Amino acid sequence: MVEIFKGGIPVIETLNRWYEDNKNSNFGAMIPFIGIVRGENGISGLSFDIYLPMLNEWFKKWENLKDAKILMAHSFGDVRIGESSFLCVVFTKHRKEGFKYLEEFVEDFKANAPIWKYDLINNKRVFAKDRAKKLPNAGILKD
């Protein structure tokens, strides 16, 4: 399941809801990853654009795992320093497989999710092309 939030993600409320919704699903581990906007290079935050139909299509391969469940939330629009822009949780029976899934999921997300990042500098969005990755077959960011 993918959830989208305008601005920063309400991390504690979202994690609590995901826990309550899944605590009786016979998983032994709930492993979160929380991405926090950090202040560097003179930015006041980050801003994100998302192409939701493509994001949902990308996420489908992570929805039908036989031994795990992955939930994800991401921000669109502006997210200030200290706020969360990315949150995911892996539920598994055992922690080792959960950490493996978490690493694979976050790396796949960084490489292939259709989310575009901008730096917020002097209240303006500046496309972070130097940190953007080309999406396969998307025709975006061609050289």
Side-chain angles (χ1 to χ4, degrees):
M1 175 177 68
V2 176
E3 295 184 29
I4 303 299
F5 292 89
K6 184 167 175 53
I9 298 168
V11 172
I12 301 304
E13 296 88 346
T14 304
L15 286 173
N16 283 340
R17 180 169 40 82
W18 288 351
Y19 171 77
E20 289 298 324
D21 290 348
N22 292 280
K23 67 182 181 183
N24 294 318
S25 298
N26 205 32
F27 292 115
M30 175 183 169
I31 304 169
F33 174 81
I34 304 166
I36 303 168
V37 176
R38 63 185 182 275
E40 58 187 15
N41 302 322
I43 69 168
S44 59
L46 298 173
S47 189
F48 299 91
D49 289 337
I50 298 174
Y51 185 57
L52 195 52
M54 196 176 186
L55 180 63
N56 287 330
E57 187 64 31
W58 167 81
F59 190 75
K60 281 182 182 178
K61 69 181 167 185
W62 294 101
E63 286 183 314
N64 296 313
L65 302 172
K66 69 176 188 159
D67 57 347
K69 180 176 185 176
I70 298 177
L71 304 176
M72 175 191 140
H74 203 283
S75 297
F76 77 93
D78 297 351
V79 183
R80 300 294 169 186
I81 293 170
E83 295 181 325
S84 176
S85 61
F86 177 63
L87 174 65
C88 68
V89 167
V90 176
F91 289 95
T92 55
K93 289 191 179 210
H94 306 286
R95 73 181 185 290
K96 285 183 181 181
E97 63 200 22
F99 284 118
K100 179 179 170 278
Y101 275 125
L102 181 65
E103 178 70 19
E104 290 173 6
F105 178 76
V106 172
E107 290 303 315
D108 187 29
F109 169 81
K110 295 293 278 182
N112 298 306
I115 298 175
W116 293 271
K117 183 188 309 185
Y118 300 80
D119 293 327
L120 293 175
I121 301 173
N122 298 324
N123 293 319
K124 294 182 181 169
R125 289 172 32 130
V126 178
F127 183 56
K129 186 173 183 178
D130 62 324
R131 297 187 314 277
K133 296 189 179 185
K134 295 179 185 178
L135 294 179
N137 305 313
I140 298 171
L141 297 178
K142 288 185 178 179
D143 288 330

